[in-house]
Amino acid sequence: MALSVDSSWYRWQGQVKDNFFQTPSESTPLLSVAKERQSYNLSQQRIVFPNNKIFHEDWAKVSKFYSGNRIHTTKYTLFNFLPRNLFEQFHRWANLYFLFLVIINWMPSIEVFHREITMLPLAIVLLIIMVKDGVEDYKKYRFDRGINSANIQIYEKKEQNYVQKQWKDVRVGDFVQLHCNEIIPADILLLFSSDPSGVCHLETANLDGETNLKQRRVVKGFWHKEPQFKPELFQNKIVCEKPNNNLSKFKGYMEHPDQTRTGLNSESLLLRGCTIRNTEVVVGIVIYAGHETKAMLNNSGPRYKRSKIERRMNIDIFFCMGILFLMCLFGAIGHGLWKGTFSEIPPFDVPDADGTFPSIALQCFYMFLTMIILLQTLIPISLYVSIELVKLGQVFFLHNDIDLYDEEVDLSIQCRALNITEDLGQIQYIFSDKTGTLTENKMVFRRCTIMGNEFSHQENAKRLETQRELDSDDEDWTKYQYGVLPGFGTVRSPGGANPLRRSQSARAHFQSHARNRSVGRWDNSQSPVAFSSTIEKDVAPDQGLLTKVKDAAFKLETLTSHRVTKPSLSTGSSITDFFLALAICNSVMVSTTTEPRQRVTIPPQMKSLGASLEKIHQLFQRLKLSSLSQSFSSTAPSDLGESLGSNPTVVDSDEQDESSGNSCGYSTDAGYQSSSKEEVVAKQNMEAKSRSLEDVLDSVIPEPEFYYEAESPDEAALVHAARAYNFTLVSRTPEQVTVRLPQGTLLTFDLLYTLGFDSVRKRMSVIVRHPLTGEIIVYTKGADCVIMDLLEDPARDPVAEKKLRKIQAKTQKHLDWYARDGLRTLCIAKKVLKEEDFHRWANFRREAEASLENREELLMETAQRLETQLTLLGATGIEDRLQEGVPDTIAALREAGIQIWVLTGDKQETAVNIAYSCKLLDQTDTVYTINTESQETCESILNCALEEVKRCYNTSKAEHKFFGICLPSQELSSPVEAAGPDIGLVIDGKTLNVIFQGNLEKKFLELTKYCRSVLCCRSTPLQKSMVVKLVRDKLKVMTLSIGDGANDVSMIQAADIGIGISGQEGMQAVMSSDFAISRFKHLKKLLLVHGHWCYSRLARMVVYYFYKNVCYVNLLFWYQFFCGFSGTTMIDYWQTIFFNLFFTSLPPLIFGVLDKDISAETLLALPELYRSGQNSKFYKMSTFWIAIMDAFYQSLICFFIPYLTYKDSDIGVFTFGTPINTISLTTILLHQAMEMKTWTFIHGVVLMASFLFYFAVSLLYNATCVTCNSPTNPYWIMERQMSDPVFYLVCFLTPVVALLPRYFLLALQGTCGNSPFLKAQKLDRLPKEKKELAIQEWRRQRERLSTAQQAAPSPGNASLGHLQVPHFTEQDPCPGHMGYNQSSPSSSARPSPDEHLLQPSGAKAFGMFKGPQIGSPRGSKRGSHRRSQSSLTV
């Protein structure tokens, strides 16, 4: 990184030569005067001229090329609705097929049915879909009309004033005036704000779901103008990028009349859909309008995905078309053979118009087409409509499941993709984010280390434990609170606005401000701003550190601007800088607690905050704290290497680190008790005096109440931590930030620059001018892996170098402890700039900001140049607790046969510790860690690991076969299901790059097949999506991605099913997802219950549809053998049409929506039942062909039993066809009844209603239709049949014979079947008590089997012991063995980039962690996986 930064700096120097102090317009080629003569290319960039008198002609020429602000999200108009809808519907092959049948049926020589009748099924299907699409589109039209008609103030140049118009009248270049609480109609560049600081506050909830107010600034050079903005005086033109959908990026420049330019970025752009808050008036110029706005470009809506069943169904439809082709070909050949038996032309043949008869070959071709029309219902046209209706019903029950509703946030599951519900029951791989998905994303400050001294914050740990206990009765208390005091918020004292202090409240967890949302519900348990719950705000400070903070802050106030600006190496100044960095190195905005919230931009007056420095000194004298001050000075070290005093929480020496056992710097109560009696008494006196000081200060300096509105929970946690140590962030403006010190003094820093956080730099910085010393200071915070590489190298001073090395080593050691505890770590650093260095850097920064080409690269280079040679201040550990139910959910999903991968950007140790906590990794697992940047090294590791793992599984399979354990290898979908050692894989982002760039994907995937869990750490959003696509495409498996942040969007969109969690990181993940839930634990029921139901219902319904249509069509085919293959039918064509449309359409719908093959309780208790969906148990090639063969058999029975019954009788054609039609209907309905696993009142009513409806329609139709089908008419046929006893006998016996084989197989399967699925169905029939006992016994048997497999002679462990052999070097690149290189303590804490880690969990620890595992009370259990364990050198 250093090389790239230096080389970029040289490029800058070569670019500007010696003109360091020239203006941006003179020094940057992009901004040179030569640009004045350029001709703007509208295809490459956008030029915006203001709509005023000065630029009216230019505006009129250019604005016509840009979109207006009228939006239309509708798909159709009144004129194109019919043709466009039909065009889209005929994209389906089935609709085209039936259209082809309608066309050929209009040919006179082929006509089978009446032409109009053939059109009826297709017309009904098209009409239903057309009505549904029309209703949906009309709703969008009404919504669009309401938005386009909203009022807005637009500047009118003729009247030279703002005129009220509608949103649809806004054009690019118009000046728009907005007031507080108004919604922004287009993307507007901010030119004026009534705020004195030139800022505008936005609520972006409509875009990203975040309720925090965002800050936008007026374009540089405009907010110092007059109190009112005058559009006629605006003489600038704007050049910017073309419209795009990136919400966080915007680049351009404003060209002034003197040809100078001002850079523009997203900080000055107000996006459409946002709401103006806490700002009275703003004025801006429209940059993008209508569908070119960023919000509209991001509004893609629900995406259409084809489910796995739909893809399988299309294949089976082609099979049905093949069957249809063979039947029609057979019919055509049969017709030709039958015609050949006549020696002369039969009398029933009709000649052509010229009196000639067609040849037999041509007649066979006509008969082929006729048979296609006759047997057309073999392709189920109504299946598509039925599937859409069934999925709507499934989504309705999903949305109304109370178990998937989160009362805390008032959110239920959202189904954004309506056509892939059945895929939820076939998931094989889950890719999950960690932060906010597995964890709560509630960041709680937990520990910190300053200048190599660690503070354990035991009081804070006890508070968090108490908090967890209070969480258990949170719901009951909330209900009580709502029921008794619905408007209860913060308890306030009569004389002020301060909430109850923690010491005064026994239920601090429930202190919050009441806020009524627009949805009309009480939300007292929620804070008005994100990341400000009680558990996040109330940080209990470490008493030892608090004492040192007060002394350090007091010394800070004695600084003056006349002191030498030299970086201080004292611990006291470092403590002050550490907490100042926590308070100001962020983008947190301060707002009031009153409603509506207002920004705090002006610090409170000193008289309201407290006394002056003299009064504070008097307080110290009155309280006689000279001894305390003396103790402060005695404990404050004067140099960098001294300790922080007698704080028992600090471990100073390396010897103490290695001999401290499990303490590892964690303070314990025993540590305090070991002090002498005098020390205890002195400490008690000190605490008493401290409390007296606090009480006096609080009486003189009442602390105001603020809300901190942060863009991330990490920022909020650090600001709350600084406030706990009385470094209170009081106000923030674009130019200044004010901090209140522990003694009440306000320090206002000039905010010179803010370099925001990004995923490439992994850090953020602020540049401020110190109000007391006048120094220009850079405060930086970021990931430890980045900050540690940017620290200064004091080679000139050996003493200082030694001290800094020692501090860095200790800090790194503490960071390792934090990570193993699952804490999120951040490093804090600073840098003091010289005036000339800062001005030179600022010139380059302005040039980069004004650049339109390569702007992002230039900004990155300037930021990297600044953030070097940093001085380490310390580090923080922030706890992100697991969500409720995550371990149980992961355990259940793994029992269901789902492979779970965690793809996170967090550091490796933190992710591994969370993986153990959530049961993703087990204590007995063999965990491999691969960290390397070398392709050869990575390839040799993968080869060696694969060799070892395959040897383990091969031995395991042989032994399991020998002992007779019933796990046939041919039924295993992956090696993980075989008996063998449980293996986990941990890999980092750099190694993933090597795998993707080195064509090692195949070996990587082969290794992951043997791993029951995989952790990808330090991975970028792009790497996440690449991993998902790799597994999905190469392994051909069903994948699901789940995440909650914007960095998870690409991963969510890459998977077969994307699930967004509506957490604290906005709604971008939700907007890109197919389903949205509020908790990870909801995934358990969503997949195991609803996923299984949706799949089993829809799969069996599709198979039933194929069976039903083939069975019915075959009746017409068998009749062709008795009518010379002439294409005639024995069933009236109206009956044929009504059969599929009405008589047999409703029962499959009810079956697809309501049927439950297994109850929800059993599915949740026995997750392994989910495997039936993974294996496509209900719908695959075998089930399809079994259904087809069953349909052929039943059609034979339903045709030939009536045929044999009425043989040699004189009944008519329709008289013969009526009992066949009735028998087939009865058989098909009874077949449906046999498929139903759940019987309710609705099921019975629908089946009986369908049967009775058939008789009612038939009786009515036969009674009224006298000449409907001349010369053969169905008049009074059903009435005569129902008076014949033979009809009833045939209709009773034939279905019994037809269904007897299926009934026998089902009975035999239910009696002798031993599959888990059949066992679970039997359990559901037991009484509740017996069912619970049987499930418990089932689980115990499974656990005993698992224990027996693990207790058997472990070939895995024996084989893995093969790894522990002498190490090999680069000269021996890949021997048959892998060895460990014992690392030194210094190298173990931070491996070099060339090193990689590959260790099994059973391996012995080396390096600084040899011997007993230290650093965590859980070390003996989780010590099997540590980053600083032995590293493998190849």
Side-chain angles (χ1 to χ4, degrees), residues 913-1065:
N913 193 278
I914 293 295
Y916 279 109
S917 301
C918 67
K919 296 184 181 180
L920 188 67
L921 292 176
D922 193 73
Q923 301 160 5
T924 60
D925 288 354
T926 300
V927 180
Y928 291 98
T929 301
I930 306 178
N931 297 335
T932 181
E933 297 182 52
S934 168
Q935 179 179 343
E936 295 79 8
T937 302
C938 184
E939 185 174 5
S940 52
I941 291 176
L942 294 175
N943 289 333
C944 297
L946 274 172
E947 180 184 351
E948 295 296 331
V949 172
K950 287 179 179 179
R951 184 180 298 110
C952 300
Y953 275 91
N954 289 337
T955 311
S956 300
K957 290 178 183 179
E959 290 192 358
H960 281 264
K961 184 175 181 181
F962 176 78
F963 286 106
I965 297 179
C966 185
L967 263 175
S969 60
Q970 62 268 21
E971 295 181 2
L972 300 177
S973 60
S974 69
V976 179
E977 298 180 22
D982 291 328
I983 296 175
L985 177 64
V986 180
I987 193 169
D988 65 351
K990 294 179 180 179
T991 311
L992 284 176
N993 279 337
V994 173
I995 290 174
F996 286 121
Q997 296 173 6
N999 297 322
L1000 301 177
E1001 297 95 333
K1002 184 177 181 180
K1003 293 181 180 179
F1004 171 67
L1005 288 179
E1006 189 176 359
L1007 178 60
T1008 60
K1009 287 182 180 180
Y1010 295 92
C1011 301
R1012 74 170 195 163
S1013 55
V1014 178
L1015 269 73
C1016 298
C1017 311
R1018 295 294 193 192
S1019 53
T1020 64
L1022 179 60
Q1023 287 178 332
K1024 291 182 179 182
S1025 64
M1026 291 175 67
V1027 169
V1028 175
K1029 292 177 182 177
L1030 177 66
V1031 175
R1032 183 197 65 192
D1033 298 336
K1034 299 298 183 181
L1035 298 184
K1036 306 297 181 183
V1037 292
M1038 294 294 295
T1039 58
L1040 180 147
S1041 293
I1042 179 170
D1044 72 317
N1047 59 333
D1048 302 319
V1049 169
S1050 57
M1051 175 181 72
I1052 288 174
Q1053 293 178 337
D1056 294 295
I1057 290 184
I1059 295 184
I1061 291 186
S1062 50
Q1064 301 196 63
E1065 292 190 16

Side-chain angles (χ1 to χ4, degrees), residues 1210-1274:
D1210 57 351
I1211 62 173
V1213 175
F1214 287 165
T1215 306
F1216 170 65
T1218 298
I1220 294 179
N1221 198 35
T1222 306
I1223 290 169
S1224 64
L1225 175 69
T1226 307
T1227 303
I1228 289 173
L1229 291 179
L1230 290 177
H1231 187 283
Q1232 176 75 87
M1234 295 171 65
E1235 288 292 317
M1236 290 181 177
K1237 308 302 180 183
T1238 302
W1239 277 91
T1240 63
F1241 175 76
I1242 298 177
H1243 290 77
V1245 167
V1246 167
L1247 284 174
M1248 186 57 65
S1250 298
F1251 187 72
L1252 296 179
F1253 184 64
Y1254 162 74
F1255 280 96
V1257 171
S1258 298
L1259 289 172
L1260 181 62
Y1261 173 67
N1262 291 163
T1264 57
C1265 187
V1266 180
T1267 58
C1268 296
N1269 194 17
S1270 181
T1272 304
N1273 293 302

Side-chain angles (χ1 to χ4, degrees), residues 1258-1392:
S1258 298
L1259 289 172
L1260 181 62
Y1261 173 67
N1262 291 163
T1264 57
C1265 187
V1266 180
T1267 58
C1268 296
N1269 194 17
S1270 181
T1272 304
N1273 293 302
Y1275 180 71
W1276 215 250
I1277 290 180
M1278 178 59 77
E1279 285 77 1
R1280 287 196 295 267
Q1281 285 285 353
M1282 294 187 67
S1283 62
D1284 184 6
V1286 177
F1287 172 79
Y1288 294 100
L1289 182 62
V1290 171
C1291 291
F1292 175 76
L1293 292 178
T1294 307
V1296 173
V1297 177
L1299 296 173
L1300 190 60
R1302 169 168 286 271
Y1303 182 80
F1304 174 75
L1305 290 177
L1306 290 176
L1308 185 64
Q1309 188 181 40
T1311 305
C1312 304
N1314 199 30
S1315 68
F1317 195 79
L1318 293 174
K1319 289 182 180 179
Q1321 290 180 334
K1322 294 177 182 178
L1323 288 181
D1324 275 338
R1325 302 188 186 100
L1326 297 177
K1328 184 177 181 180
E1329 294 77 9
K1330 292 184 179 180
K1331 174 182 174 181
E1332 293 177 354
L1333 292 176
I1335 290 176
Q1336 293 175 6
E1337 180 62 26
W1338 184 329
R1339 297 183 67 88
R1340 280 195 296 267
Q1341 290 180 0
R1342 186 184 58 202
E1343 292 173 0
R1344 284 196 294 267
L1345 177 61
S1346 176
T1347 304
Q1349 293 174 357
Q1350 295 177 0
S1354 178
N1357 293 340
S1359 235
L1360 290 172
H1362 180 63
L1363 299 176
Q1364 303 178 14
V1365 298
H1367 72 277
F1368 48 91
T1369 59
E1370 293 181 0
Q1371 284 75 18
D1372 188 13
C1374 188
H1377 308 282
M1378 286 176 282
Y1380 288 95
N1381 178 23
Q1382 182 171 341
S1383 305
S1384 63
S1386 60
S1387 64
S1388 64
R1390 195 162 194 81
S1392 66

Side-chain angles (χ1 to χ4, degrees), residues 1073-1138:
S1073 64
D1074 303 308
F1075 300 88
I1077 57 179
S1078 58
R1079 295 284 179 180
F1080 184 84
K1081 65 179 182 180
H1082 293 162
L1083 196 63
K1084 179 179 179 180
K1085 187 172 185 181
L1086 179 63
L1087 296 184
L1088 302 186
V1089 178
H1090 289 286
H1092 173 82
W1093 282 347
C1094 291
Y1095 165 72
S1096 65
R1097 292 165 177 170
L1098 202 63
R1100 290 187 290 158
M1101 188 196 78
V1102 170
V1103 173
Y1104 174 78
Y1105 255 96
F1106 283 118
Y1107 148 80
K1108 174 174 70 75
N1109 284 37
V1110 171
C1111 181
Y1112 190 73
V1113 165
N1114 277 344
L1115 299 175
L1116 305 178
F1117 180 70
W1118 304 136
Y1119 182 69
Q1120 301 307 307
F1121 286 89
F1122 302 93
C1123 66
F1125 295 95
S1126 59
T1128 58
T1129 65
M1130 73 291 191
I1131 302 175
D1132 184 80
Y1133 53 79
W1134 282 107
Q1135 294 278 14
T1136 305
I1137 293 173
F1138 288 167

Side-chain angles (χ1 to χ4, degrees), residues 43-58:
S43 63
Q44 300 292 331
Q45 55 194 7
R46 166 163 292 203
I47 294 91
V48 178
F49 292 97
N51 185 11
N52 54 20
K53 291 184 178 180
I54 300 176
F55 289 98
H56 175 66
E57 294 183 0
D58 294 327

